[in-house]
Amino acid sequence: MQNLVLVDVTPLSLGVGIRKGFEYMLLVVPKNNPIPTKMYTEMQTDHDNQTSIRFPIYEGESAETKYNNLLGEFTINGIDPAPKGAVKFDVWFDIDANGILSVSAQVKSTSIKNGIIIKQNGDLTAAEIQTMIQEAGRYRAEDEMHKSKISLEDLAEKLKSLAMDPGRSKSDMKSMEKAAEKALAWLERNPHADIDEINKRRGQLKTNFPILCEEN
């Protein structure tokens, strides 16, 4: 016991809400991560000609934000209109030694940025935190299904974005765009597809377009 060191950790995972038909939490800081800490993720616009974007900050263990605890939110305005996914953001979660959470986001191509400081992460009791963890366990299968769908959609959107590279041949651009649209259309037609079929489609995209493996 003489060498025992107590380390503060995050009691629940932290992330930012992203709209994908439903709002899900993009994980940034996992549960039980030692603090202080600073962690990073990248986001992008989710529809064409978007001029603003919300950054709702959540704590919890579910993929769907409706099961998690909203800590606060901020918005970045003044984004130049562009195709979906073309505008990207650097997003930082910074937790200091006192547990104060600072979240900031900046448009990669400009100096436009905003953020929020959350002094008390949710004010949840230990019992409430344990309840959220237990409930997340009951919804794990549903969460994994949602994550698989989101992963396939993100991969298809990334393929569409890569197809826009002017250095590619027209035939390559066309085949990439066609494959991406086919994957997105399949997802829309098959809302109740099982997780194995979704992952199979995702694997096929990566096999047919190895550049996706380099990008992920």
Side-chain angles (χ1 to χ4, degrees):
M1 296 295 290
Q2 199 169 4
N3 297 321
L4 179 65
V5 177
L6 296 178
V7 178
D8 285 332
V9 299
T10 53
L12 291 168
S13 299
L14 299 167
V16 58
I18 295 181
R19 179 66 61 179
K20 292 284 185 181
F22 66 97
E23 191 175 76
Y24 85 99
M25 188 177 84
L26 174 64
L27 176 65
V28 182
V29 182
K31 179 169 68 79
N32 293 329
N33 190 80
I35 57 175
T37 189
K38 188 172 185 179
M39 304 189 81
Y40 160 87
T41 191
E42 183 181 283
M43 290 176 58
Q44 60 190 30
T45 48
D46 53 20
H47 58 264
D48 292 338
N49 301 317
Q50 192 170 344
T51 58
S52 67
I53 184 169
R54 286 174 60 245
F55 293 87
I57 310 305
Y58 289 91
E59 63 178 357
E61 301 309 315
S62 176
E64 287 195 76
T65 59
K66 67 182 181 181
Y67 299 122
N68 294 336
N69 185 36
L70 177 65
L71 298 175
E73 65 176 73
F74 63 94
T75 302
I76 287 183
N77 298 304
I79 303 168
D80 291 334
K84 173 182 178 179
V87 181
K88 302 184 186 302
F89 307 84
D90 290 323
V91 184
W92 289 95
F93 277 54
D94 189 348
I95 308 175
D96 69 15
N98 296 313
I100 297 175
L101 170 64
S102 300
V103 183
S104 61
Q106 179 171 347
V107 181
K108 276 182 173 287
S109 57
T110 73
S111 60
I112 298 174
K113 61 182 179 180
N114 202 358
I116 189 173
I117 295 176
I118 300 166
K119 294 185 177 179
Q120 190 69 30
N121 287 8
D123 293 326
L124 295 176
T125 66
E128 288 171 330
I129 290 171
Q130 189 59 35
T131 297
M132 289 184 73
I133 293 171
Q134 291 171 349
E135 288 180 348
R138 288 198 291 270
Y139 297 122
R140 186 161 288 121
E142 181 182 347
D143 276 355
E144 290 304 316
M145 178 68 72
H146 286 316
K147 287 176 183 177
S148 294
K149 289 181 178 179
I150 290 163
S151 180
L152 176 55
E153 182 179 347
D154 285 347
L155 204 65
E157 293 291 353
K158 182 158 286 188
L159 187 60
K160 285 176 68 175
S161 179
L162 291 170
M164 295 167 62
D165 185 343
R168 302 192 191 284
S169 67
K170 288 186 177 180
S171 61
D172 283 348
M173 286 183 176
K174 187 174 181 179
S175 64
M176 291 167 77
E177 288 175 357
K178 184 177 180 180
E181 292 293 351
K182 183 178 179 181
L184 293 171
W186 181 85
L187 268 174
E188 189 172 345
R189 291 195 312 270
N190 296 275
H192 304 297
D194 64 55
I195 194 168
D196 290 338
E197 182 63 22
I198 296 169
N199 289 339
K200 179 181 176 182
R201 297 266 172 173
R202 187 171 179 272
Q204 287 173 344
L205 272 186
K206 284 197 165 190
T207 299
N208 294 335
F209 301 96
I211 190 172
L212 289 171
C213 299
E214 299 170 14
E215 292 289 322
N216 283 278

